[in-house]
Amino acid sequence: MANEAQIDLVPKEISWLSFNGRVLQEAADPSVPLIEKIRFLGIYSNNQDEFFKVRVADLKRQIIINKESGNAAETVKLLKEVQNTVSKYQVVMNNIYRDLVKELAENKIYLRDETEVSEKQKTWVRNYFKMHVLKHINPIIFNETIDLVQFLRDQYTYLLVKMAGKNKETSYALIEIPSDVVPRFISMPTEEGETTLMFLDDVIRICLDEIFKGLFDYDTIEAYSIKMNRDAEYDLLGNVDMSVLENMSNSLKQRLNAMPVRFAYDRAMPQEMVEFMTRELHLSDIDSSMPGGRYHNFKDFLSFPSVGSSDKFENPSLPLINSTPFDTYSNVFDAISNGDILLYYPYYSFEYFTEFLRQASYDPKVTTIKINIYRVARNSRVIDSLIDAANNGKRVTVVVELKARFDEANNIKWASHLTDAGVKVLFGLPTLKIHSKLCIVSRRENGQNVRYAHIGTGNFNEKTAKIYTDFALFTKNQELTHEVHSVFDFIEYPYTRPRFDKLLVSPINARQRIYAMIDREIANAQTGLPSYINLKVNNLVDRGLIERLYKASQSGVKVRAIIRGMCSLRPGIPGLSDNIHITSIVDRFLEHPRVMIFCNNNQEELYISSADWMTRNLDYRIEVGAPVLDPELRDRIRTIFKIQESDNQKARIIDADQKNAYVAHIDGAPQIRSQIEIHSYLQAVEQKHNALISATLATAEEAAAATAAAATAAAEAASAVAESEAEEKESKKDKKKDKKDKKDKK
């Protein structure tokens, strides 16, 4: 095992910033359509907000806790490194934004501020403001009694307004930009063939007098944008007189009043205003005060309007691929009974799963449905089908994870809605977040109870299934479905410890089983047997697993990994990790599945899983990984992995210094953008399946026709025989009658 000095891990916070840097690269990539580049700025900004609310807030708590004991120095050093790295990326983002505004203008799409519009356009803006915006404006006026920390809402952009009079009296006010009820980007009248947009912020700037004139005496008025992020952590309050839902709802209120962890402001803001806000927000030396550009909340660029030529400025849509097994049969249960089915979102439609639930909700043979919910869409057909199933007399159990970060309120709403509909709702365990992606349906068939299971890597969410890549396995395999059922038993009765021989279940056996499979590869490599590990996860930061991979590399095991996000392992270090090669893909879809492939002396084992290689996923969550048993489906996942390994358009090399260099394209080699290549590959797979089924059906039709012809011939022959026998019988009867007639005449 490598010694402690050799195991130089990248801090997960720095690695996360490196990942978000890859997102920012997409906003500057010339191959990305213009509006898609702008939306990548929105993704970057949204990610950065969450980073401060979760990871930076955690560092700040560690510093506060350890300060008295004198153990905070390393964390303080890391926080400074984080702040410096964020500042560097902020400069890069501002430059990219400036370049994108120029590119928009080159395409006759203009983003104007209040200094760049005509008087005629300003008149239009003032009318728009009076009709659509003014009713949502409720300024906060500063005075001695106001506690600004209590008023500012997390992640909202505000205008800090300064009103100065001749007698040097100054008043300050805050205006919240109401982008949750009014579009952030306002389309203005313009010349034909052009598009002119204005930030809602600037609409308000133009109309400041409409808000304050007559109420305040001032000679000058100016406004600068600011934003604050709060600590997203909260404690679960354990009031025994309250329900789980009530306790969680009360706990979430802590987030509303949590202390700031970042204060971002317009770098053009006068220094005395910056100092004023620093005092008002009670910011300490470990909080992040960051000068930025004129506008904040770039996350709103995620909803940047589709303007101009959509085929030029946005990604062309990829046609959904039909699942031949599901489409061949009249119902989902017959389809799954014919063999395991694998879907890969978003190439396949999520509607195959919603149809699975819809049919289960009213199928008279279905008796029970169990599912765990982590994040679902706001208008969820999944929830609708579960309620319909309960109304149809099915026994429905839904495990709702209330602690799904930033989806807590949504899940509280759904839990109440399901409970009111008569669904049995479980909230899992206080100490274990439930992150598995399981659904199981029990059905009575020929007097037997038969189970159908869904095991996936992504959430049951119609919205994210359109933009996240994820695997979904549908199976009737008795061993797998029995163990899936046992997972639900464990959630409901956590004092039990079911045995899992097929599934990898955190925190019961996943870590030990993964260790054992890595150790087996190490032993095989040391004895000259074939060995390799192929891995695809979102994050690799668990120290125990990284140490095992270092040892595997030192033993000669080839480790190939595709890691989208955080990676604390340093690849390519001679004598430590030179057999480890890691890339990261950031493209139009968010790479989300987890896949593990172990050589096992050429008896390959392949798993899909809901778990990243993080300590929390292995030790403090309920996660499920499943072996893919069907050889054809294993080959399909293996091929997808190989396509992604060959990506030379959107893949970056993760090296020891996390420089985010693109994988080099070798002259003469084909250009491979894996997300597009995978779509073509899966189309070909389904076309082949469709052809095989058509041929099988044609053969079956020919056999049926031959059988029908034989049956017709047999029937005709039988009819001829019967007719002949009848004629012979009639002839004998006639002869007998003739004989009798002759006898009577005598």
Side-chain angles (χ1 to χ4, degrees), residues 125-365:
V125 166
R126 290 188 182 97
N127 288 332
Y128 179 90
F129 176 82
K130 290 176 182 177
M131 293 178 62
H132 301 287
V133 183
L134 181 58
K135 58 188 174 184
H136 302 295
I137 299 297
N138 296 288
I140 299 170
I141 309 301
F142 287 78
N143 57 51
E144 294 179 356
T145 62
I146 196 167
D147 182 356
L148 191 60
V149 176
Q150 301 297 314
F151 282 91
L152 285 186
R153 293 208 285 171
D154 178 61
Q155 276 191 272
Y156 278 74
T157 295
Y158 291 82
L159 289 179
L160 176 60
V161 180
K162 178 183 178 182
M163 295 171 281
K166 289 181 180 178
N167 56 4
K168 295 187 179 181
E169 286 188 5
T170 301
S171 298
Y172 288 102
L174 273 178
I175 299 174
E176 180 183 301
I177 306 297
S179 54
D180 52 347
V181 289
V182 182
R184 184 80 186 277
F185 303 99
I186 310 301
S187 181
M188 300 171 56
T190 188
E191 300 294 327
E192 188 175 349
E194 296 181 352
T195 300
T196 298
L197 301 171
M198 176 175 278
F199 276 92
L200 177 58
D201 317 32
D202 291 326
V203 169
I204 297 172
R205 290 176 203 263
I206 289 174
C207 300
L208 287 175
D209 278 345
E210 302 284 344
I211 303 169
F212 295 106
K213 202 165 187 178
L215 299 174
F216 291 85
D217 184 18
Y218 57 87
D219 294 313
T220 62
I221 185 168
E222 52 188 325
Y224 301 90
S225 64
I226 64 169
K227 186 177 80 168
M228 180 188 71
N229 291 126
R230 294 181 185 271
D231 187 341
E233 194 55 70
Y234 54 83
D235 293 320
L236 281 175
L237 305 177
N239 189 328
V240 294
D241 296 324
M242 293 183 178
S243 68
V244 174
L245 287 179
E246 289 171 326
N247 272 318
M248 177 55 98
S249 296
N250 286 337
S251 297
L252 286 179
K253 292 175 184 177
Q254 298 173 44
R255 186 178 285 168
L256 299 177
N257 299 319
M259 291 304 294
V261 291
R262 176 171 67 158
F263 169 56
Y265 58 90
D266 184 345
R267 68 177 66 253
M269 183 188 292
Q271 184 59 30
E272 72 270 13
M273 293 179 71
V274 176
E275 293 172 358
F276 172 79
M277 287 301 298
T278 301
R279 291 193 304 272
E280 291 293 322
L281 292 174
H282 314 298
L283 296 177
S284 69
D285 56 353
I286 61 172
D287 295 313
S288 299
S289 293
M290 294 190 169
R294 178 182 175 87
Y295 307 103
H296 297 293
N297 263 10
F298 270 50
K299 68 179 180 125
D300 289 335
F301 278 115
L302 280 164
S303 56
F304 192 83
S306 296
V307 294
S309 175
S310 60
D311 58 344
K312 177 182 178 183
F313 298 139
E314 299 180 66
N315 286 321
S317 61
L318 292 175
L320 289 172
I321 299 169
N322 295 324
S323 169
T324 305
F326 273 129
D327 291 349
T328 300
Y329 292 88
S330 59
N331 67 72
V332 295
F333 303 107
D334 287 348
I336 300 169
S337 296
N338 191 58
D340 289 358
I341 300 174
L342 182 75
L343 300 182
Y344 193 35
Y345 307 127
Y347 304 101
Y348 293 89
S349 172
F350 187 73
E351 288 190 4
Y352 285 113
F353 176 74
T354 56
E355 183 62 12
F356 171 72
L357 270 189
R358 191 189 71 83
Q359 290 185 26
S361 73
Y362 66 88
D363 183 338
K365 294 181 181 179

Side-chain angles (χ1 to χ4, degrees), residues 405-641:
R405 182 173 277 133
F406 306 124
D407 267 347
E408 300 98 337
N410 197 37
N411 285 359
I412 288 171
K413 181 194 75 173
W414 285 127
S416 300
H417 196 38
L418 289 163
T419 302
D420 291 343
V423 172
K424 182 178 182 180
V425 176
L426 302 176
F427 299 114
L429 314 176
T431 56
L432 293 176
K433 187 179 285 190
I434 299 170
H435 193 249
S436 52
K437 321 297 183 185
L438 302 178
C439 178
I440 191 163
V441 172
S442 297
R443 199 168 183 255
R444 295 294 292 178
E445 297 176 3
N446 301 318
Q448 301 292 319
N449 190 44
V450 179
R451 296 187 181 113
Y452 296 80
H454 168 285
I455 307 169
T457 66
N459 298 308
F460 298 115
N461 187 312
E462 294 96 322
K463 181 180 178 180
T464 58
K466 294 178 180 178
I467 52 177
Y468 288 19
T469 64
D470 271 305
F471 287 112
L473 178 68
F474 296 82
T475 184
K476 192 182 177 182
N477 179 283
Q478 291 184 4
E479 292 178 299
L480 293 180
T481 58
H482 170 74
E483 293 195 6
V484 169
H485 190 266
S486 295
V487 175
F488 283 98
D489 285 344
F490 172 59
I491 292 170
E492 189 166 3
Y493 309 106
Y495 52 83
T496 64
R497 278 295 184 270
R499 177 184 174 88
F500 296 102
D501 296 318
K502 296 291 184 182
L503 299 183
L504 308 178
V505 181
S506 301
I508 294 177
N509 70 348
R511 181 181 288 278
Q512 293 74 20
R513 289 272 298 279
I514 295 172
Y515 277 177
M517 287 187 283
I518 297 174
D519 289 345
R520 184 182 60 198
E521 298 303 319
I522 293 171
N524 286 344
Q526 290 172 343
T527 56
L529 296 175
S531 64
Y532 58 79
I533 299 170
N534 293 336
L535 174 68
K536 180 177 172 63
V537 291
N538 296 318
N539 301 297
L540 170 59
V541 297
D542 180 78
R543 186 181 186 89
L545 289 169
I546 291 173
E547 289 179 344
R548 278 298 206 289
L549 292 177
Y550 281 157
K551 184 177 179 182
S553 174
Q554 291 172 315
S555 301
V557 179
K558 298 293 183 183
V559 179
R560 310 283 293 186
I562 302 169
I563 299 173
R564 187 195 82 229
M566 295 183 293
C567 179
S568 292
L569 185 151
R570 294 187 187 271
I573 298 176
L576 176 68
S577 57
D578 39 353
N579 283 314
I580 301 176
H581 179 76
I582 300 177
T583 58
S584 178
I585 297 170
V586 178
D587 199 352
R588 61 186 293 178
F589 303 133
L590 183 138
E591 293 291 340
H592 195 251
R594 295 87 168 180
V595 176
M596 296 170 282
I597 307 174
F598 298 94
C599 174
N600 188 27
N601 192 21
N602 290 332
Q603 302 297 310
E604 194 174 77
E605 287 188 298
L606 188 154
Y607 292 83
I608 61 171
S609 176
S610 64
D612 280 314
W613 281 24
M614 303 176 70
T615 304
R616 70 182 190 189
N617 298 87
L618 296 172
D619 299 334
Y620 304 110
R621 289 185 174 188
I622 294 179
E623 306 266 15
V624 173
V628 178
L629 303 176
D630 184 291
E632 184 179 347
L633 300 185
R634 280 204 307 271
D635 183 64
R636 193 178 306 175
I637 295 174
R638 191 186 307 111
T639 301
I640 289 171
F641 186 89

